[in-house]
Amino acid sequence: MFFVFPSADAIAQHLSQHIIDTIKRKPNAVLGLATGSTMLPVYQRFAEQVQEHALDLSQVTTYNLDEYVGLAPEHPQSYNHYMHEHLFDKIKLDDSQVYLPSGHCADIDLECKEYSAKIQACGGLDFQLLGIGTNGHIGFNEPYTAFDSQTHVVELSENTRIDNGRFFDNWAEVPTHAITMGIQDIMQAKEIILVATGAHKAEVMANLFNSPIDEAMPASILKQHPRIKIFMDQSAASLIPDSALNTLC
């Protein structure tokens, strides 16, 4: 379950190839995608490989985990903007192929219901990419989010707002709420890979390793998934016993 790599770049290389192999096996793959600084080397390498090999993505569909409430899609800190800047525009995915929850809609409750329904209607996610917050959240599912939750609006914890505040000019601009794919939506994916890199993730990864399956640690539910892999660089894995770690490269 826990795999250690020599560097974030090594993870990006392996994971990019894994996503490409997934698409080659199933050209109409439905991919669940994440944002954040952890994913930047992954998307950079994936975009490079797509271009190098002229990979056909015409049947691929993507669903993103989350979006801030109150930010327009064109806002530079929205996840819609992030995905277009770092991935979609580089690999030329058409807007009809990509889905992100809207935090800037007229009826956010309806948006939540329809987002989960769309995922189910396309047969569910073939692959879900995840990061992890320093408090153990996946997506924006904060501690004590119900494990049976579907897409919903969450009030962001102070810890999460502090983590994400570095991307905004001042504290007042940091969103207080987000719309996020629910834990049940995530767990219904056929395969999940969680990525954690950097020394600042070492404590939460140790907590995840030691945690029972408990809503206090949202990511702990992943231990019940039949096809879960957790990829870490050496820094993020530094507090986990060597005997529990596997290597892929």
Side-chain angles (χ1 to χ4, degrees):
M1 179 184 294
F2 291 89
F3 295 87
V4 63
F5 292 76
S7 66
D9 286 342
I11 293 175
Q13 174 63 35
H14 182 89
L15 184 49
S16 172
Q17 187 60 54
H18 181 81
I19 298 171
I20 287 172
D21 291 343
T22 298
I23 295 168
K24 287 181 175 179
R25 285 194 304 271
K26 186 179 182 184
N28 63 340
V30 182
L31 307 179
L33 302 180
T35 54
S37 56
T38 301
M39 301 306 158
L40 290 177
V42 176
Y43 292 151
Q44 179 179 346
R45 185 62 188 129
F46 178 65
E48 290 170 351
Q49 288 189 286
V50 167
Q51 294 163 7
E52 288 170 7
H53 301 290
L55 184 67
D56 181 7
L57 302 178
S58 61
Q59 299 181 63
V60 169
T61 305
T62 72
Y63 284 85
N64 259 77
L65 279 169
D66 42 35
E67 180 60 283
Y68 289 120
V69 170
L71 296 192
E74 63 272 13
H75 190 288
Q77 296 306 328
S78 75
Y79 290 146
N80 189 303
H81 185 275
Y82 170 106
M83 290 304 303
H84 278 86
E85 178 182 7
H86 296 295
L87 185 62
F88 296 156
D89 292 349
K90 292 182 178 181
I91 60 175
K92 300 186 181 349
L93 282 188
D94 188 81
D95 285 346
S96 64
Q97 295 176 257
V98 304
Y99 294 88
L100 297 96
S102 173
H104 201 249
C105 56
D107 189 337
I108 201 161
D109 289 334
L110 179 61
E111 174 72 10
C112 290
K113 292 177 183 177
E114 290 185 342
Y115 200 71
S116 287
K118 287 175 185 175
I119 295 172
Q120 292 299 315
C122 71
L125 303 168
D126 293 300
F127 170 82
Q128 178 64 60
L129 180 61
L130 293 177
I132 186 171
T134 55
N135 63 358
H137 73 234
I138 49 175
F140 271 127
N141 294 290
E142 300 282 21
Y144 300 104
T145 298
F147 283 156
D148 63 356
S149 61
Q150 293 185 302
T151 304
H152 61 284
V153 174
V154 61
E155 181 176 1
L156 302 178
S157 68
E158 183 176 4
N159 183 84
T160 297
R161 293 187 72 217
I162 290 171
D163 284 349
N164 292 352
R166 67 187 186 277
F167 301 114
F168 293 84
D169 292 335
N170 61 71
W171 180 251
E173 293 182 4
V174 182
T176 59
H177 292 74
I179 182 171
T180 184
M181 197 185 291
I183 293 177
Q184 179 175 298
D185 297 314
I186 293 169
M187 287 293 289
Q188 288 175 342
K190 298 176 182 67
E191 178 185 23
I192 300 174
I193 294 180
L194 183 148
V195 182
T197 57
H200 66 295
K201 293 294 178 70
E203 183 175 356
V204 70
M205 296 314 294
N207 290 342
L208 173 58
F209 175 76
N210 291 306
S211 175
I213 297 172
D214 191 312
E215 289 178 353
M217 165 60 75
S220 65
I221 189 64
L222 298 174
K223 296 179 180 182
Q224 289 188 338
H225 196 279
R227 294 183 65 198
I228 172 67
K229 289 180 180 177
I230 297 172
F231 291 175
M232 298 169 287
D233 65 3
Q234 291 178 339
S235 295
S238 61
L239 300 180
I240 295 176
D242 290 343
S243 58
L245 299 173
N246 302 285
T247 57
L248 287 174
C249 67

PDB file of all heavy atoms in Angstrom, residues 6-31:
ATOM      1  N   PRO A   6      12.525   7.845  -4.688  1.00  0.00           N
ATOM      2  CA  PRO A   6      13.655   8.708  -4.313  1.00  0.00           C
ATOM      3  C   PRO A   6      13.356  10.202  -4.398  1.00  0.00           C
ATOM      4  O   PRO A   6      14.033  10.998  -3.752  1.00  0.00           O
ATOM      5  CB  PRO A   6      14.754   8.300  -5.309  1.00  0.00           C
ATOM      6  CG  PRO A   6      14.051   7.626  -6.431  1.00  0.00           C
ATOM      7  CD  PRO A   6      12.843   6.977  -5.834  1.00  0.00           C
ATOM      8  N   SER A   7      12.353  10.597  -5.174  1.00  0.00           N
ATOM      9  CA  SER A   7      12.083  12.019  -5.349  1.00  0.00           C
ATOM     10  C   SER A   7      10.684  12.229  -5.902  1.00  0.00           C
ATOM     11  O   SER A   7      10.035  11.289  -6.398  1.00  0.00           O
ATOM     12  CB  SER A   7      13.090  12.633  -6.318  1.00  0.00           C
ATOM     13  OG  SER A   7      12.902  12.091  -7.622  1.00  0.00           O
ATOM     14  N   ALA A   8      10.225  13.490  -5.840  1.00  0.00           N
ATOM     15  CA  ALA A   8       8.935  13.841  -6.436  1.00  0.00           C
ATOM     16  C   ALA A   8       8.958  13.626  -7.945  1.00  0.00           C
ATOM     17  O   ALA A   8       7.949  13.226  -8.545  1.00  0.00           O
ATOM     18  CB  ALA A   8       8.586  15.288  -6.102  1.00  0.00           C
ATOM     19  N   ASP A   9      10.090  13.885  -8.571  1.00  0.00           N
ATOM     20  CA  ASP A   9      10.210  13.680 -10.018  1.00  0.00           C
ATOM     21  C   ASP A   9      10.065  12.204 -10.383  1.00  0.00           C
ATOM     22  O   ASP A   9       9.491  11.862 -11.427  1.00  0.00           O
ATOM     23  CB  ASP A   9      11.542  14.218 -10.527  1.00  0.00           C
ATOM     24  CG  ASP A   9      11.580  15.738 -10.576  1.00  0.00           C
ATOM     25  OD1 ASP A   9      10.490  16.358 -10.555  1.00  0.00           O
ATOM     26  OD2 ASP A   9      12.685  16.302 -10.621  1.00  0.00           O
ATOM     27  N   ALA A  10      10.600  11.335  -9.542  1.00  0.00           N
ATOM     28  CA  ALA A  10      10.473   9.896  -9.800  1.00  0.00           C
ATOM     29  C   ALA A  10       9.012   9.462  -9.704  1.00  0.00           C
ATOM     30  O   ALA A  10       8.547   8.627 -10.489  1.00  0.00           O
ATOM     31  CB  ALA A  10      11.331   9.102  -8.826  1.00  0.00           C
ATOM     32  N   ILE A  11       8.289  10.027  -8.744  1.00  0.00           N
ATOM     33  CA  ILE A  11       6.852   9.752  -8.645  1.00  0.00           C
ATOM     34  C   ILE A  11       6.142  10.229  -9.895  1.00  0.00           C
ATOM     35  O   ILE A  11       5.316   9.520 -10.478  1.00  0.00           O
ATOM     36  CB  ILE A  11       6.251  10.432  -7.393  1.00  0.00           C
ATOM     37  CG1 ILE A  11       6.799   9.794  -6.115  1.00  0.00           C
ATOM     38  CG2 ILE A  11       4.718  10.334  -7.421  1.00  0.00           C
ATOM     39  CD1 ILE A  11       6.337  10.483  -4.842  1.00  0.00           C
ATOM     40  N   ALA A  12       6.457  11.450 -10.329  1.00  0.00           N
ATOM     41  CA  ALA A  12       5.812  12.022 -11.510  1.00  0.00           C
ATOM     42  C   ALA A  12       6.023  11.146 -12.733  1.00  0.00           C
ATOM     43  O   ALA A  12       5.098  10.907 -13.518  1.00  0.00           O
ATOM     44  CB  ALA A  12       6.329  13.434 -11.757  1.00  0.00           C
ATOM     45  N   GLN A  13       7.232  10.659 -12.918  1.00  0.00           N
ATOM     46  CA  GLN A  13       7.540   9.808 -14.066  1.00  0.00           C
ATOM     47  C   GLN A  13       6.743   8.515 -14.019  1.00  0.00           C
ATOM     48  O   GLN A  13       6.131   8.107 -15.018  1.00  0.00           O
ATOM     49  CB  GLN A  13       9.038   9.503 -14.115  1.00  0.00           C
ATOM     50  CG  GLN A  13       9.446   8.502 -15.185  1.00  0.00           C
ATOM     51  CD  GLN A  13       9.151   8.991 -16.603  1.00  0.00           C
ATOM     52  OE1 GLN A  13       9.256  10.181 -16.878  1.00  0.00           O
ATOM     53  NE2 GLN A  13       8.770   8.074 -17.485  1.00  0.00           N
ATOM     54  N   HIS A  14       6.748   7.863 -12.864  1.00  0.00           N
ATOM     55  CA  HIS A  14       6.042   6.587 -12.731  1.00  0.00           C
ATOM     56  C   HIS A  14       4.538   6.785 -12.879  1.00  0.00           C
ATOM     57  O   HIS A  14       3.865   6.018 -13.589  1.00  0.00           O
ATOM     58  CB  HIS A  14       6.357   5.960 -11.377  1.00  0.00           C
ATOM     59  CG  HIS A  14       5.705   4.630 -11.173  1.00  0.00           C
ATOM     60  ND1 HIS A  14       6.293   3.439 -11.536  1.00  0.00           N
ATOM     61  CD2 HIS A  14       4.479   4.300 -10.662  1.00  0.00           C
ATOM     62  CE1 HIS A  14       5.493   2.433 -11.254  1.00  0.00           C
ATOM     63  NE2 HIS A  14       4.375   2.932 -10.730  1.00  0.00           N
ATOM     64  N   LEU A  15       4.000   7.802 -12.230  1.00  0.00           N
ATOM     65  CA  LEU A  15       2.560   8.015 -12.231  1.00  0.00           C
ATOM     66  C   LEU A  15       2.064   8.459 -13.602  1.00  0.00           C
ATOM     67  O   LEU A  15       0.995   8.029 -14.059  1.00  0.00           O
ATOM     68  CB  LEU A  15       2.204   9.046 -11.161  1.00  0.00           C
ATOM     69  CG  LEU A  15       0.724   9.350 -10.931  1.00  0.00           C
ATOM     70  CD1 LEU A  15      -0.095   8.081 -10.778  1.00  0.00           C
ATOM     71  CD2 LEU A  15       0.576  10.241  -9.699  1.00  0.00           C
ATOM     72  N   SER A  16       2.836   9.306 -14.261  1.00  0.00           N
ATOM     73  CA  SER A  16       2.471   9.714 -15.617  1.00  0.00           C
ATOM     74  C   SER A  16       2.359   8.500 -16.537  1.00  0.00           C
ATOM     75  O   SER A  16       1.392   8.365 -17.299  1.00  0.00           O
ATOM     76  CB  SER A  16       3.511  10.695 -16.169  1.00  0.00           C
ATOM     77  OG  SER A  16       3.271  10.963 -17.530  1.00  0.00           O
ATOM     78  N   GLN A  17       3.326   7.616 -16.460  1.00  0.00           N
ATOM     79  CA  GLN A  17       3.294   6.415 -17.291  1.00  0.00           C
ATOM     80  C   GLN A  17       2.103   5.531 -16.925  1.00  0.00           C
ATOM     81  O   GLN A  17       1.471   4.923 -17.796  1.00  0.00           O
ATOM     82  CB  GLN A  17       4.597   5.630 -17.155  1.00  0.00           C
ATOM     83  CG  GLN A  17       4.699   4.452 -18.120  1.00  0.00           C
ATOM     84  CD  GLN A  17       4.638   4.891 -19.570  1.00  0.00           C
ATOM     85  OE1 GLN A  17       5.415   5.748 -20.005  1.00  0.00           O
ATOM     86  NE2 GLN A  17       3.709   4.323 -20.339  1.00  0.00           N
ATOM     87  N   HIS A  18       1.792   5.479 -15.651  1.00  0.00           N
ATOM     88  CA  HIS A  18       0.652   4.676 -15.200  1.00  0.00           C
ATOM     89  C   HIS A  18      -0.654   5.209 -15.791  1.00  0.00           C
ATOM     90  O   HIS A  18      -1.511   4.429 -16.240  1.00  0.00           O
ATOM     91  CB  HIS A  18       0.586   4.674 -13.680  1.00  0.00           C
ATOM     92  CG  HIS A  18      -0.533   3.849 -13.123  1.00  0.00           C
ATOM     93  ND1 HIS A  18      -0.446   2.478 -12.993  1.00  0.00           N
ATOM     94  CD2 HIS A  18      -1.775   4.186 -12.691  1.00  0.00           C
ATOM     95  CE1 HIS A  18      -1.574   2.006 -12.496  1.00  0.00           C
ATOM     96  NE2 HIS A  18      -2.408   3.022 -12.309  1.00  0.00           N
ATOM     97  N   ILE A  19      -0.822   6.531 -15.794  1.00  0.00           N
ATOM     98  CA  ILE A  19      -2.036   7.128 -16.357  1.00  0.00           C
ATOM     99  C   ILE A  19      -2.101   6.859 -17.858  1.00  0.00           C
ATOM    100  O   ILE A  19      -3.165   6.536 -18.401  1.00  0.00           O
ATOM    101  CB  ILE A  19      -2.086   8.640 -16.061  1.00  0.00           C
ATOM    102  CG1 ILE A  19      -2.143   8.886 -14.540  1.00  0.00           C
ATOM    103  CG2 ILE A  19      -3.300   9.279 -16.739  1.00  0.00           C
ATOM    104  CD1 ILE A  19      -1.976  10.343 -14.151  1.00  0.00           C
ATOM    105  N   ILE A  20      -0.972   6.981 -18.527  1.00  0.00           N
ATOM    106  CA  ILE A  20      -0.930   6.696 -19.961  1.00  0.00           C
ATOM    107  C   ILE A  20      -1.306   5.236 -20.229  1.00  0.00           C
ATOM    108  O   ILE A  20      -2.089   4.935 -21.149  1.00  0.00           O
ATOM    109  CB  ILE A  20       0.462   7.018 -20.528  1.00  0.00           C
ATOM    110  CG1 ILE A  20       0.652   8.538 -20.608  1.00  0.00           C
ATOM    111  CG2 ILE A  20       0.662   6.382 -21.896  1.00  0.00           C
ATOM    112  CD1 ILE A  20       2.038   8.974 -20.980  1.00  0.00           C
ATOM    113  N   ASP A  21      -0.781   4.321 -19.434  1.00  0.00           N
ATOM    114  CA  ASP A  21      -1.112   2.906 -19.605  1.00  0.00           C
ATOM    115  C   ASP A  21      -2.608   2.665 -19.376  1.00  0.00           C
ATOM    116  O   ASP A  21      -3.229   1.836 -20.065  1.00  0.00           O
ATOM    117  CB  ASP A  21      -0.290   2.044 -18.640  1.00  0.00           C
ATOM    118  CG  ASP A  21       1.189   2.013 -18.997  1.00  0.00           C
ATOM    119  OD1 ASP A  21       1.544   2.367 -20.138  1.00  0.00           O
ATOM    120  OD2 ASP A  21       1.993   1.651 -18.111  1.00  0.00           O
ATOM    121  N   THR A  22      -3.179   3.383 -18.405  1.00  0.00           N
ATOM    122  CA  THR A  22      -4.612   3.271 -18.126  1.00  0.00           C
ATOM    123  C   THR A  22      -5.423   3.681 -19.346  1.00  0.00           C
ATOM    124  O   THR A  22      -6.389   3.015 -19.734  1.00  0.00           O
ATOM    125  CB  THR A  22      -4.991   4.136 -16.920  1.00  0.00           C
ATOM    126  OG1 THR A  22      -4.302   3.672 -15.758  1.00  0.00           O
ATOM    127  CG2 THR A  22      -6.495   4.087 -16.648  1.00  0.00           C
ATOM    128  N   ILE A  23      -5.028   4.790 -19.971  1.00  0.00           N
ATOM    129  CA  ILE A  23      -5.739   5.296 -21.149  1.00  0.00           C
ATOM    130  C   ILE A  23      -5.549   4.364 -22.336  1.00  0.00           C
ATOM    131  O   ILE A  23      -6.480   4.132 -23.114  1.00  0.00           O
ATOM    132  CB  ILE A  23      -5.264   6.724 -21.481  1.00  0.00           C
ATOM    133  CG1 ILE A  23      -5.653   7.681 -20.344  1.00  0.00           C
ATOM    134  CG2 ILE A  23      -5.850   7.202 -22.812  1.00  0.00           C
ATOM    135  CD1 ILE A  23      -4.995   9.034 -20.438  1.00  0.00           C
ATOM    136  N   LYS A  24      -4.358   3.791 -22.499  1.00  0.00           N
ATOM    137  CA  LYS A  24      -4.134   2.858 -23.604  1.00  0.00           C
ATOM    138  C   LYS A  24      -4.993   1.607 -23.453  1.00  0.00           C
ATOM    139  O   LYS A  24      -5.499   1.063 -24.440  1.00  0.00           O
ATOM    140  CB  LYS A  24      -2.657   2.481 -23.681  1.00  0.00           C
ATOM    141  CG  LYS A  24      -1.771   3.600 -24.229  1.00  0.00           C
ATOM    142  CD  LYS A  24      -0.325   3.162 -24.310  1.00  0.00           C
ATOM    143  CE  LYS A  24       0.551   4.226 -24.956  1.00  0.00           C
ATOM    144  NZ  LYS A  24       1.975   3.820 -25.023  1.00  0.00           N
ATOM    145  N   ARG A  25      -5.161   1.145 -22.209  1.00  0.00           N
ATOM    146  CA  ARG A  25      -6.003  -0.025 -21.966  1.00  0.00           C
ATOM    147  C   ARG A  25      -7.480   0.299 -22.185  1.00  0.00           C
ATOM    148  O   ARG A  25      -8.247  -0.537 -22.659  1.00  0.00           O
ATOM    149  CB  ARG A  25      -5.804  -0.551 -20.540  1.00  0.00           C
ATOM    150  CG  ARG A  25      -4.525  -1.308 -20.306  1.00  0.00           C
ATOM    151  CD  ARG A  25      -4.576  -2.063 -18.991  1.00  0.00           C
ATOM    152  NE  ARG A  25      -4.856  -1.183 -17.863  1.00  0.00           N
ATOM    153  CZ  ARG A  25      -3.911  -0.553 -17.149  1.00  0.00           C
ATOM    154  NH1 ARG A  25      -2.628  -0.712 -17.476  1.00  0.00           N
ATOM    155  NH2 ARG A  25      -4.231   0.215 -16.146  1.00  0.00           N
ATOM    156  N   LYS A  26      -7.855   1.537 -21.805  1.00  0.00           N
ATOM    157  CA  LYS A  26      -9.251   1.958 -21.917  1.00  0.00           C
ATOM    158  C   LYS A  26      -9.277   3.376 -22.464  1.00  0.00           C
ATOM    159  O   LYS A  26      -9.208   4.335 -21.700  1.00  0.00           O
ATOM    160  CB  LYS A  26      -9.950   1.888 -20.557  1.00  0.00           C
ATOM    161  CG  LYS A  26     -11.441   2.182 -20.645  1.00  0.00           C
ATOM    162  CD  LYS A  26     -12.130   2.083 -19.292  1.00  0.00           C
ATOM    163  CE  LYS A  26     -13.625   2.345 -19.453  1.00  0.00           C
ATOM    164  NZ  LYS A  26     -14.323   2.349 -18.134  1.00  0.00           N
ATOM    165  N   PRO A  27      -9.368   3.537 -23.786  1.00  0.00           N
ATOM    166  CA  PRO A  27      -9.303   4.877 -24.388  1.00  0.00           C
ATOM    167  C   PRO A  27     -10.373   5.843 -23.893  1.00  0.00           C
ATOM    168  O   PRO A  27     -10.164   7.064 -23.936  1.00  0.00           O
ATOM    169  CB  PRO A  27      -9.468   4.589 -25.887  1.00  0.00           C
ATOM    170  CG  PRO A  27      -8.953   3.193 -26.045  1.00  0.00           C
ATOM    171  CD  PRO A  27      -9.389   2.473 -24.802  1.00  0.00           C
ATOM    172  N   ASN A  28     -11.512   5.329 -23.399  1.00  0.00           N
ATOM    173  CA  ASN A  28     -12.559   6.195 -22.869  1.00  0.00           C
ATOM    174  C   ASN A  28     -12.524   6.256 -21.339  1.00  0.00           C
ATOM    175  O   ASN A  28     -13.559   6.371 -20.676  1.00  0.00           O
ATOM    176  CB  ASN A  28     -13.932   5.741 -23.346  1.00  0.00           C
ATOM    177  CG  ASN A  28     -14.313   4.345 -22.859  1.00  0.00           C
ATOM    178  OD1 ASN A  28     -13.435   3.556 -22.475  1.00  0.00           O
ATOM    179  ND2 ASN A  28     -15.593   4.022 -22.885  1.00  0.00           N
ATOM    180  N   ALA A  29     -11.334   6.190 -20.788  1.00  0.00           N
ATOM    181  CA  ALA A  29     -11.153   6.211 -19.340  1.00  0.00           C
ATOM    182  C   ALA A  29     -11.743   7.483 -18.720  1.00  0.00           C
ATOM    183  O   ALA A  29     -11.687   8.565 -19.317  1.00  0.00           O
ATOM    184  CB  ALA A  29      -9.677   6.106 -18.993  1.00  0.00           C
ATOM    185  N   VAL A  30     -12.290   7.322 -17.518  1.00  0.00           N
ATOM    186  CA  VAL A  30     -12.810   8.443 -16.738  1.00  0.00           C
ATOM    187  C   VAL A  30     -11.842   8.680 -15.585  1.00  0.00           C
ATOM    188  O   VAL A  30     -11.679   7.824 -14.710  1.00  0.00           O
ATOM    189  CB  VAL A  30     -14.223   8.141 -16.202  1.00  0.00           C
ATOM    190  CG1 VAL A  30     -14.766   9.341 -15.437  1.00  0.00           C
ATOM    191  CG2 VAL A  30     -15.167   7.769 -17.348  1.00  0.00           C
ATOM    192  N   LEU A  31     -11.173   9.827 -15.613  1.00  0.00           N
ATOM    193  CA  LEU A  31     -10.106  10.122 -14.658  1.00  0.00           C
ATOM    194  C   LEU A  31     -10.564  11.136 -13.624  1.00  0.00           C
ATOM    195  O   LEU A  31     -11.102  12.196 -13.971  1.00  0.00           O
ATOM    196  CB  LEU A  31      -8.886  10.674 -15.401  1.00  0.00           C
ATOM    197  CG  LEU A  31      -8.344   9.853 -16.568  1.00  0.00           C
ATOM    198  CD1 LEU A  31      -7.161  10.577 -17.199  1.00  0.00           C
ATOM    199  CD2 LEU A  31      -7.937   8.453 -16.106  1.00  0.00           C
TER     200      LEU A  31
END
